[in-house]
Every structure is written in C-alpha cells, then in structure tokens.
Amino acid sequence: MITKENPARTTEVVGVLPITGPAGVDAAVRRAEAARRDWSAHPIAGRVAALRRCAAAIAGRAEELAVLLARESGKPLADCRGEIGFALAYLEWVCERAPDVLAERVTDDGAGRLVTRRRPYGVVACVTPWNAPVILTMTKLAPALAAGNTAVVKPSPLAPLAAGAVAAALPHVEVVHGGAETGQALVTHPLVRKVAFTGGDAAGRAIAAAAGAMLTPSVLELGGNDPAVLLPDFALTPDDYERLVMASFATSGQVCMAAKRLYVPRRRAGEFTEAYVAAAERILLVGDPLVPGVTMGPVISGEAAARVRELAWGRGVAVPLGRATGDLSAGYFVTPVLVGGLADDDPLVVTEQFGPAVPLLVYDGEEEVVGRANASELGLGASVWSGDEERAFAVAGRLEAGFVFVNTHNRTGMSLRAPFGGVKRSGYGREYGEEGLLEYVQTAVTHAPAAFRPGGSGMPATAYPDRA
C-alpha cells in the first residue's frame, strides 16, 4: 500500500492507495487498448467536446482538489489553486488549437497529390512527478487524448492523489499506482505505443532504457540546473526582485525550471544581495501550506530535507531568507538560504539541488559568464536579466538551454503557445505549444506523383524522383 503523509504535518495521513502489480498494469493497458479504436475514430470535434465536458466537471471540484494537493505535496494552497486553474487553461488551449494543428493537409498541384494525416499512436504511458503533479499530468493527457490516443497514468507515489483524481476524470484514461516496479511494467508493456515522462535524471535514464528496449518512442522532460544571468546593466525593481526570489523558491525550490544558479556582476554583488535579501523578507513566508499568506511550505520528504541541508550548509556563506510562521518542527521544513562564496565545482553549484537553497556566483565579463552558465550537462531553462532587451536576447541565444526567459524566470515566464523542453541531458521532446500536440501523433502520407496520374508523362522504372 501507498500511505501518503502530509509533509507539513507528518503524523497526518492524507490517503492510502493500493499498489498496482504487473497483472493490474496489464489489465489497465488492455482496457485502454480496447477503448482506443472507438476513441480515435471519433471526429476531433467530438473528442474536444468530451474533453470540455470533463474539464467542467474538474472545475467544479477545483477547491477540493487544491486542498488535497496542498495536503499531499506541501505546496501552498494558493499555488495549488493556481496549478489546477493552469491545468484547465492548458486543456482548453489544446481544445482550441488541436482541430487546426491536427487537421489533414492536402496539396494537389503540378507535382502530384499529397495528403498528410496526423494519426494517434495508440496507448500512451504517462509517468508523472510529484512536484507539479496535476499540470504535468495534464500536459501529457490533454494533447494525447485530443489526438485520439488513450492513456494509462502512473502518478508519483509521493503525490498520487490529486493527479490521479484529475486523470481519472478524463475520458479513456486508466490510473495505476506504485513505484519503479509498476512503472517498469507499464513502460515495457507491448501494447504501449508512446511513453511520456517527467522526472529526475536517474528515473529518466531507466525509463528511456526500458522504452528503448521495446522500440517505444518517448518524450522526456528531465531535470535542470538553470542559470539566471544578470547582465551589468540589470535594473530590477522591488517587484522584479520578488519575482526572482520566487523563481528559486516556489514549491520550496522543487521545480525543474527553478533559477538554481544566480550569476551577478562582481561590482554589483553587494547591491544585489542587499536587495535580494530584502525582497525575500517581503515575499517568503514559510509555514503550513494551508495557512493564508504562506508562500513556501515544506520539502516533500525527510530524505529531501537532509539532502538540501547537506548541500547548503557548511561551505560558503549561507544567508537565511524570509520569515516563518507556526510550528515548523512538525514537518519537513528547510530554511531557505542564499549561499555565497562558492567555487564553480561546489556540489550546490553543479548539482540540481531541488530545494530551497541557491548559490550566488560573481563574474567579471560576458564571455566568462556565458561559459560558466553553459558548463553543465543539463540544459533545461535559463534566464537573462537586462535593461536592454536586445542585448538580453543576444546573450540568451548563446545559452545552452531549451527555454530562455528574459527578465523573468520559472512559471511567470511560461506561455501556453511556447514549446518547453530541454537540451543536453535535460531530455528530449516538447510540451506546450503546437510541438506539444504533435508529440502525440505520427505523420501518415498518401502520395500520387504527377507522373503516374491520368495524363502523366510516366517515369522509367530506374529513375529517381525529381525535386518536386
């Protein structure tokens, strides 16, 4: 059984779920496969209408789901409300865009007749994380279902309740629960035709290897060690500083695209630190996620708390940030810190810390900072902060990241139309945008070359096609 505790009050059990064994996974996949042909045969307008009806039902439970998410994950309730709302907004965006993006394309001209169709894969296996479980489940299910696939979802056992409830409310989605064994059984099932995964590096390698052994295509959104580069002309308002603080400490720093390394010009480091600490004092309130006004809750587990403390304390100069309220001894709370005086090879700099600690690193020149920002195996996100937008875009173009924010970072810089994903060891494939829709279809072509249509000139059997 999975017994899910509240990370803010560890004696409180939020829910208990049975683990799905291999036989249960097999049954779930087979149910999804049985539903596949009928669902994919529906016109896309019918699928979209069904998804919108489900969205309305989920919206009617939004507050209940937000409270459940806060209790199981430790995220502040206001953030959980925002996550539910954003997941529904993305579902609606998919419903609006899918009919056009996935439409059949016909070209009939002097070169011949070419029909391009977008066809679903079949059963999609979705293995989802705990840190933003509802939205990161929806980024897979919404485009997969709109495209005519069915799905089996395995939420993380660290936050399975709200994500599982939302997934189960959508049409032709099966939900299984468990850890690595359940995930392995799902990803390697012979009837699974696509795998979608968001999570850490180690799990991502295991998922990719298992899917690869089955020749099953996958989309992987893995970790990041995002640099935030402040150029010498940065001009941050108090609101900008608060946004930068939350770029690192939202969800207690447990976000793949959080600002995880802050690069500041040496001559402005003192000024920056003073303003940053003041902003954190204003915006960071650590406490129980159900208490109004709290902006940072606990980390997800005792193991996570111990790992972050080991990374953040004992080297460099750790400056505690923000304020606290209530009894923090009841849960997995970690004091947020800004850490200065570290070398580039310090574990807090080279490791995706995935917690409330961020290093402050100084630099002297643009070439230097670009090189240091790129000196990571990971390349998910990055940001550039400057009073000159053109200069910011020029530097952004030199950073090795799949998504570069300008004068913001993390969720405040996201857009439903902008494809998101990593380069290097941060995975492959994209979510959001039209690219996120196209991840869940295969291109199928029917072609009649002009040479072989009625009245065509023909072509020798040994000929190659012409440029057309």
Short mmCIF file of all heavy atoms in Angstrom, two decimals, residues 373-427:
data_model
loop_
_atom_site.label_atom_id
_atom_site.label_comp_id
_atom_site.label_asym_id
_atom_site.label_seq_id
_atom_site.Cartn_x
_atom_site.Cartn_y
_atom_site.Cartn_z
N ALA A 373 27.88 29.60 -17.30
CA ALA A 373 26.46 29.22 -17.31
C ALA A 373 26.24 27.95 -18.12
O ALA A 373 25.40 27.11 -17.76
CB ALA A 373 25.62 30.36 -17.87
N ASN A 374 27.01 27.79 -19.20
CA ASN A 374 26.86 26.62 -20.06
C ASN A 374 27.60 25.39 -19.57
O ASN A 374 27.47 24.30 -20.16
CB ASN A 374 27.33 26.95 -21.48
CG ASN A 374 26.38 27.88 -22.21
OD1 ASN A 374 25.20 27.97 -21.87
ND2 ASN A 374 26.90 28.57 -23.22
N ALA A 375 28.38 25.53 -18.51
CA ALA A 375 29.23 24.43 -18.03
C ALA A 375 28.42 23.46 -17.17
O ALA A 375 28.67 23.28 -15.98
CB ALA A 375 30.41 24.98 -17.25
N SER A 376 27.42 22.84 -17.79
CA SER A 376 26.57 21.89 -17.10
C SER A 376 26.11 20.85 -18.11
O SER A 376 25.92 21.16 -19.28
CB SER A 376 25.35 22.59 -16.48
OG SER A 376 24.43 21.66 -15.97
N GLU A 377 25.94 19.61 -17.64
CA GLU A 377 25.37 18.59 -18.51
C GLU A 377 23.89 18.83 -18.76
O GLU A 377 23.31 18.25 -19.68
CB GLU A 377 25.55 17.21 -17.89
CG GLU A 377 26.98 16.68 -17.93
CD GLU A 377 27.01 15.19 -17.66
OE1 GLU A 377 26.11 14.69 -16.95
OE2 GLU A 377 27.93 14.52 -18.14
N LEU A 378 23.27 19.66 -17.93
CA LEU A 378 21.85 19.92 -18.04
C LEU A 378 21.59 21.19 -18.83
O LEU A 378 22.39 22.12 -18.80
CB LEU A 378 21.22 20.01 -16.65
CG LEU A 378 21.41 18.77 -15.76
CD1 LEU A 378 20.81 19.01 -14.39
CD2 LEU A 378 20.79 17.54 -16.41
N GLY A 379 20.47 21.23 -19.52
CA GLY A 379 20.15 22.40 -20.33
C GLY A 379 18.65 22.57 -20.48
O GLY A 379 18.13 22.58 -21.59
N LEU A 380 17.96 22.69 -19.36
CA LEU A 380 16.51 22.83 -19.43
C LEU A 380 16.13 24.30 -19.65
O LEU A 380 15.66 24.69 -20.70
CB LEU A 380 15.86 22.29 -18.16
CG LEU A 380 14.33 22.24 -18.19
CD1 LEU A 380 13.82 21.38 -19.32
CD2 LEU A 380 13.77 21.76 -16.85
N GLY A 381 16.33 25.14 -18.64
CA GLY A 381 15.99 26.55 -18.74
C GLY A 381 17.15 27.43 -18.36
O GLY A 381 18.20 26.97 -17.90
N ALA A 382 16.96 28.73 -18.57
CA ALA A 382 17.93 29.76 -18.18
C ALA A 382 17.19 31.08 -18.24
O ALA A 382 16.07 31.16 -18.76
CB ALA A 382 19.14 29.77 -19.11
N SER A 383 17.80 32.12 -17.71
CA SER A 383 17.21 33.45 -17.87
C SER A 383 18.32 34.49 -17.98
O SER A 383 19.44 34.29 -17.50
CB SER A 383 16.29 33.80 -16.69
OG SER A 383 16.99 33.85 -15.46
N VAL A 384 17.97 35.59 -18.66
CA VAL A 384 18.87 36.73 -18.80
C VAL A 384 18.10 37.97 -18.35
O VAL A 384 16.96 38.18 -18.78
CB VAL A 384 19.35 36.91 -20.25
CG1 VAL A 384 20.28 38.10 -20.35
CG2 VAL A 384 20.06 35.64 -20.74
N TRP A 385 18.74 38.77 -17.51
CA TRP A 385 18.12 39.96 -16.94
C TRP A 385 18.94 41.19 -17.37
O TRP A 385 20.14 41.25 -17.13
CB TRP A 385 18.07 39.88 -15.42
CG TRP A 385 17.34 38.66 -14.91
CD1 TRP A 385 17.74 37.36 -15.02
CD2 TRP A 385 16.08 38.64 -14.24
NE1 TRP A 385 16.81 36.53 -14.44
CE2 TRP A 385 15.77 37.28 -13.95
CE3 TRP A 385 15.18 39.63 -13.82
CZ2 TRP A 385 14.61 36.90 -13.29
CZ3 TRP A 385 14.02 39.25 -13.16
CH2 TRP A 385 13.74 37.90 -12.90
N SER A 386 18.28 42.12 -18.03
CA SER A 386 18.99 43.29 -18.55
C SER A 386 18.01 44.42 -18.79
O SER A 386 16.83 44.19 -19.08
CB SER A 386 19.69 42.92 -19.87
OG SER A 386 20.24 44.06 -20.50
N GLY A 387 18.51 45.66 -18.71
CA GLY A 387 17.72 46.82 -19.08
C GLY A 387 17.60 46.99 -20.57
O GLY A 387 16.82 47.82 -21.05
N ASP A 388 18.36 46.22 -21.34
CA ASP A 388 18.38 46.30 -22.80
C ASP A 388 17.88 44.97 -23.34
O ASP A 388 18.60 43.97 -23.34
CB ASP A 388 19.81 46.59 -23.28
CG ASP A 388 19.92 46.72 -24.79
OD1 ASP A 388 19.00 46.28 -25.50
OD2 ASP A 388 20.95 47.23 -25.26
N GLU A 389 16.64 44.94 -23.82
CA GLU A 389 16.05 43.69 -24.26
C GLU A 389 16.82 43.06 -25.42
O GLU A 389 16.97 41.84 -25.49
CB GLU A 389 14.58 43.89 -24.66
CG GLU A 389 13.86 42.59 -24.96
CD GLU A 389 12.39 42.78 -25.25
OE1 GLU A 389 11.61 42.86 -24.25
OE2 GLU A 389 12.01 42.85 -26.43
N GLU A 390 17.30 43.89 -26.35
CA GLU A 390 18.04 43.34 -27.48
C GLU A 390 19.31 42.64 -27.01
O GLU A 390 19.67 41.57 -27.51
CB GLU A 390 18.39 44.46 -28.48
CG GLU A 390 17.19 45.01 -29.22
CD GLU A 390 16.43 43.94 -29.99
OE1 GLU A 390 17.10 43.09 -30.63
OE2 GLU A 390 15.18 43.92 -29.94
N ARG A 391 20.00 43.26 -26.07
CA ARG A 391 21.21 42.63 -25.54
C ARG A 391 20.85 41.33 -24.82
O ARG A 391 21.57 40.32 -24.93
CB ARG A 391 21.94 43.58 -24.60
CG ARG A 391 23.27 43.01 -24.10
CD ARG A 391 23.98 43.95 -23.16
NE ARG A 391 25.27 43.40 -22.74
CZ ARG A 391 26.00 43.89 -21.76
NH1 ARG A 391 25.60 44.97 -21.10
NH2 ARG A 391 27.16 43.33 -21.44
N ALA A 392 19.75 41.35 -24.08
CA ALA A 392 19.33 40.15 -23.36
C ALA A 392 19.06 39.01 -24.34
O ALA A 392 19.47 37.86 -24.11
CB ALA A 392 18.08 40.44 -22.54
N PHE A 393 18.39 39.31 -25.46
CA PHE A 393 18.10 38.27 -26.44
C PHE A 393 19.38 37.76 -27.10
O PHE A 393 19.50 36.57 -27.41
CB PHE A 393 17.11 38.78 -27.48
CG PHE A 393 15.67 38.52 -27.12
CD1 PHE A 393 15.01 39.30 -26.18
CD2 PHE A 393 14.98 37.47 -27.69
CE1 PHE A 393 13.69 39.05 -25.84
CE2 PHE A 393 13.66 37.20 -27.36
CZ PHE A 393 13.01 38.00 -26.43
N ALA A 394 20.32 38.66 -27.30
CA ALA A 394 21.59 38.24 -27.91
C ALA A 394 22.33 37.27 -26.99
O ALA A 394 22.85 36.23 -27.44
CB ALA A 394 22.45 39.46 -28.21
N VAL A 395 22.39 37.56 -25.70
CA VAL A 395 23.04 36.66 -24.75
C VAL A 395 22.24 35.37 -24.61
O VAL A 395 22.81 34.28 -24.54
CB VAL A 395 23.24 37.36 -23.40
CG1 VAL A 395 23.77 36.38 -22.35
CG2 VAL A 395 24.20 38.55 -23.54
N ALA A 396 20.93 35.49 -24.59
CA ALA A 396 20.08 34.31 -24.48
C ALA A 396 20.35 33.32 -25.60
O ALA A 396 20.34 32.10 -25.38
CB ALA A 396 18.61 34.72 -24.49
N GLY A 397 20.61 33.85 -26.79
CA GLY A 397 20.89 32.98 -27.93
C GLY A 397 22.18 32.19 -27.79
O GLY A 397 22.40 31.22 -28.54
N ARG A 398 23.02 32.56 -26.85
CA ARG A 398 24.29 31.87 -26.64
C ARG A 398 24.21 30.85 -25.50
O ARG A 398 25.17 30.11 -25.27
CB ARG A 398 25.40 32.88 -26.34
CG ARG A 398 25.59 33.92 -27.45
CD ARG A 398 26.65 34.93 -27.05
NE ARG A 398 27.95 34.29 -26.88
CZ ARG A 398 28.99 34.85 -26.26
NH1 ARG A 398 28.87 36.05 -25.72
NH2 ARG A 398 30.14 34.19 -26.15
N LEU A 399 23.11 30.82 -24.79
CA LEU A 399 22.98 29.91 -23.65
C LEU A 399 22.45 28.55 -24.12
O LEU A 399 21.54 28.48 -24.96
CB LEU A 399 22.05 30.50 -22.60
CG LEU A 399 22.55 31.79 -21.94
CD1 LEU A 399 21.54 32.29 -20.91
CD2 LEU A 399 23.91 31.59 -21.28
N GLU A 400 23.00 27.51 -23.58
CA GLU A 400 22.64 26.14 -23.97
C GLU A 400 21.46 25.67 -23.10
O GLU A 400 21.63 25.01 -22.09
CB GLU A 400 23.85 25.23 -23.82
CG GLU A 400 24.98 25.60 -24.76
CD GLU A 400 26.28 24.86 -24.46
OE1 GLU A 400 26.32 24.11 -23.46
OE2 GLU A 400 27.26 25.05 -25.22
N ALA A 401 20.28 26.07 -23.52
CA ALA A 401 19.07 25.74 -22.79
C ALA A 401 17.92 25.63 -23.78
O ALA A 401 17.90 26.30 -24.81
CB ALA A 401 18.76 26.80 -21.73
N GLY A 402 16.94 24.80 -23.44
CA GLY A 402 15.79 24.65 -24.31
C GLY A 402 14.83 25.81 -24.23
O GLY A 402 14.06 26.06 -25.15
N PHE A 403 14.85 26.54 -23.11
CA PHE A 403 13.91 27.65 -22.90
C PHE A 403 14.65 28.73 -22.11
O PHE A 403 15.09 28.48 -20.99
CB PHE A 403 12.69 27.18 -22.12
CG PHE A 403 11.48 28.07 -22.21
CD1 PHE A 403 10.33 27.64 -22.82
CD2 PHE A 403 11.50 29.35 -21.67
CE1 PHE A 403 9.19 28.46 -22.89
CE2 PHE A 403 10.39 30.18 -21.75
CZ PHE A 403 9.22 29.72 -22.37
N VAL A 404 14.80 29.91 -22.70
CA VAL A 404 15.47 31.02 -22.01
C VAL A 404 14.45 32.13 -21.76
O VAL A 404 13.82 32.63 -22.69
CB VAL A 404 16.65 31.56 -22.81
CG1 VAL A 404 17.35 32.68 -22.03
CG2 VAL A 404 17.66 30.44 -23.12
N PHE A 405 14.30 32.50 -20.52
CA PHE A 405 13.42 33.59 -20.12
C PHE A 405 14.20 34.91 -20.18
O PHE A 405 15.41 34.93 -19.93
CB PHE A 405 12.94 33.39 -18.69
CG PHE A 405 12.29 32.06 -18.41
CD1 PHE A 405 13.04 30.99 -17.92
CD2 PHE A 405 10.94 31.86 -18.62
CE1 PHE A 405 12.45 29.77 -17.64
CE2 PHE A 405 10.33 30.65 -18.36
CZ PHE A 405 11.09 29.59 -17.87
N VAL A 406 13.50 35.99 -20.45
CA VAL A 406 14.10 37.32 -20.42
C VAL A 406 13.38 38.16 -19.36
O VAL A 406 12.16 38.34 -19.42
CB VAL A 406 14.04 38.01 -21.79
CG1 VAL A 406 14.48 39.47 -21.69
CG2 VAL A 406 14.93 37.27 -22.79
N ASN A 407 14.15 38.63 -18.38
CA ASN A 407 13.66 39.47 -17.29
C ASN A 407 12.55 38.82 -16.47
O ASN A 407 11.71 39.50 -15.88
CB ASN A 407 13.23 40.85 -17.81
CG ASN A 407 14.42 41.68 -18.22
OD1 ASN A 407 15.50 41.59 -17.62
ND2 ASN A 407 14.26 42.48 -19.27
N THR A 408 12.58 37.52 -16.42
CA THR A 408 11.75 36.73 -15.51
C THR A 408 12.31 35.32 -15.54
O THR A 408 13.29 35.04 -16.23
CB THR A 408 10.26 36.79 -15.89
OG1 THR A 408 9.48 36.29 -14.81
CG2 THR A 408 9.98 36.01 -17.17
N HIS A 409 11.70 34.42 -14.78
CA HIS A 409 12.18 33.03 -14.73
C HIS A 409 11.10 32.21 -14.07
O HIS A 409 10.30 32.70 -13.28
CB HIS A 409 13.48 32.94 -13.92
CG HIS A 409 14.29 31.70 -14.19
ND1 HIS A 409 15.62 31.74 -14.58
CD2 HIS A 409 13.97 30.38 -14.14
CE1 HIS A 409 16.07 30.51 -14.74
NE2 HIS A 409 15.08 29.66 -14.47
N ASN A 410 11.08 30.90 -14.42
CA ASN A 410 10.15 29.95 -13.86
C ASN A 410 8.74 30.24 -14.39
O ASN A 410 8.57 30.76 -15.48
CB ASN A 410 10.22 29.96 -12.32
CG ASN A 410 9.84 28.63 -11.69
OD1 ASN A 410 9.04 27.88 -12.21
ND2 ASN A 410 10.41 28.33 -10.54
N ARG A 411 7.71 29.94 -13.61
CA ARG A 411 6.36 29.89 -14.19
C ARG A 411 5.85 31.25 -14.67
O ARG A 411 4.98 31.29 -15.55
CB ARG A 411 5.38 29.27 -13.20
CG ARG A 411 5.12 30.09 -11.95
CD ARG A 411 4.24 29.28 -11.00
NE ARG A 411 3.86 30.06 -9.84
CZ ARG A 411 3.73 29.57 -8.63
NH1 ARG A 411 3.98 28.29 -8.41
NH2 ARG A 411 3.36 30.33 -7.62
N THR A 412 6.36 32.36 -14.13
CA THR A 412 5.91 33.66 -14.62
C THR A 412 6.34 33.92 -16.05
O THR A 412 5.82 34.83 -16.70
CB THR A 412 6.44 34.80 -13.73
OG1 THR A 412 7.87 34.71 -13.66
CG2 THR A 412 5.85 34.73 -12.33
N GLY A 413 7.28 33.13 -16.56
CA GLY A 413 7.74 33.30 -17.93
C GLY A 413 7.19 32.29 -18.91
O GLY A 413 7.53 32.31 -20.09
N MET A 414 6.30 31.40 -18.45
CA MET A 414 5.75 30.37 -19.32
C MET A 414 4.64 30.94 -20.20
O MET A 414 4.02 31.95 -19.88
CB MET A 414 5.20 29.22 -18.49
CG MET A 414 6.25 28.49 -17.69
SD MET A 414 7.45 27.63 -18.73
CE MET A 414 6.42 26.32 -19.40
N SER A 415 4.38 30.27 -21.30
CA SER A 415 3.28 30.61 -22.20
C SER A 415 2.75 29.32 -22.80
O SER A 415 3.53 28.44 -23.18
CB SER A 415 3.75 31.55 -23.31
OG SER A 415 2.75 31.70 -24.30
N LEU A 416 1.44 29.21 -22.90
CA LEU A 416 0.85 28.00 -23.47
C LEU A 416 1.28 27.80 -24.91
O LEU A 416 1.33 26.66 -25.39
CB LEU A 416 -0.68 28.07 -23.39
CG LEU A 416 -1.26 28.10 -21.97
CD1 LEU A 416 -2.78 28.23 -22.04
CD2 LEU A 416 -0.87 26.87 -21.18
N ARG A 417 1.60 28.87 -25.62
CA ARG A 417 1.99 28.75 -27.02
C ARG A 417 3.46 28.41 -27.21
O ARG A 417 3.90 28.11 -28.32
CB ARG A 417 1.70 30.06 -27.76
CG ARG A 417 2.61 31.21 -27.36
CD ARG A 417 2.32 32.46 -28.14
NE ARG A 417 3.28 33.52 -27.82
CZ ARG A 417 3.32 34.69 -28.44
NH1 ARG A 417 2.46 34.95 -29.40
NH2 ARG A 417 4.22 35.60 -28.09
N ALA A 418 4.25 28.49 -26.14
CA ALA A 418 5.70 28.33 -26.25
C ALA A 418 6.11 26.90 -25.92
O ALA A 418 5.90 26.43 -24.79
CB ALA A 418 6.42 29.30 -25.31
N PRO A 419 6.70 26.16 -26.86
CA PRO A 419 7.13 24.79 -26.56
C PRO A 419 8.22 24.78 -25.50
O PRO A 419 9.13 25.60 -25.52
CB PRO A 419 7.64 24.28 -27.91
CG PRO A 419 7.95 25.49 -28.72
CD PRO A 419 7.00 26.55 -28.26
N PHE A 420 8.11 23.82 -24.57
CA PHE A 420 9.04 23.75 -23.45
C PHE A 420 9.70 22.37 -23.41
O PHE A 420 9.03 21.35 -23.53
CB PHE A 420 8.29 23.99 -22.13
CG PHE A 420 9.19 23.97 -20.92
CD1 PHE A 420 9.89 25.10 -20.54
CD2 PHE A 420 9.35 22.80 -20.19
CE1 PHE A 420 10.73 25.06 -19.43
CE2 PHE A 420 10.18 22.77 -19.08
CZ PHE A 420 10.87 23.91 -18.70
N GLY A 421 11.00 22.36 -23.21
CA GLY A 421 11.75 21.12 -23.06
C GLY A 421 13.23 21.42 -23.04
O GLY A 421 13.65 22.57 -23.23
N GLY A 422 14.03 20.39 -22.82
CA GLY A 422 15.45 20.60 -22.59
C GLY A 422 16.34 20.19 -23.74
O GLY A 422 15.91 19.58 -24.71
N VAL A 423 17.62 20.56 -23.59
CA VAL A 423 18.69 20.09 -24.46
C VAL A 423 19.71 19.39 -23.56
O VAL A 423 19.57 19.34 -22.35
CB VAL A 423 19.34 21.26 -25.25
CG1 VAL A 423 18.32 21.93 -26.14
CG2 VAL A 423 19.97 22.29 -24.30
N LYS A 424 20.73 18.83 -24.18
CA LYS A 424 21.76 18.08 -23.45
C LYS A 424 21.10 16.96 -22.62
O LYS A 424 20.26 16.23 -23.14
CB LYS A 424 22.65 19.02 -22.63
CG LYS A 424 23.39 20.03 -23.51
CD LYS A 424 24.52 20.75 -22.81
CE LYS A 424 24.10 21.77 -21.82
NZ LYS A 424 25.23 22.60 -21.33
N ARG A 425 21.44 16.86 -21.34
CA ARG A 425 20.93 15.76 -20.51
C ARG A 425 19.58 16.09 -19.87
O ARG A 425 19.14 15.39 -18.95
CB ARG A 425 21.93 15.41 -19.41
CG ARG A 425 23.30 15.01 -19.91
CD ARG A 425 23.31 13.67 -20.59
NE ARG A 425 24.66 13.25 -20.92
CZ ARG A 425 24.95 12.22 -21.69
NH1 ARG A 425 23.98 11.49 -22.21
NH2 ARG A 425 26.21 11.90 -21.95
N SER A 426 18.93 17.14 -20.33
CA SER A 426 17.64 17.52 -19.75
C SER A 426 16.46 16.94 -20.51
O SER A 426 15.32 17.36 -20.31
CB SER A 426 17.52 19.05 -19.68
OG SER A 426 18.35 19.57 -18.66
N GLY A 427 16.73 15.97 -21.38
CA GLY A 427 15.65 15.25 -22.02
C GLY A 427 15.45 15.64 -23.47
O GLY A 427 16.26 16.37 -24.07
#
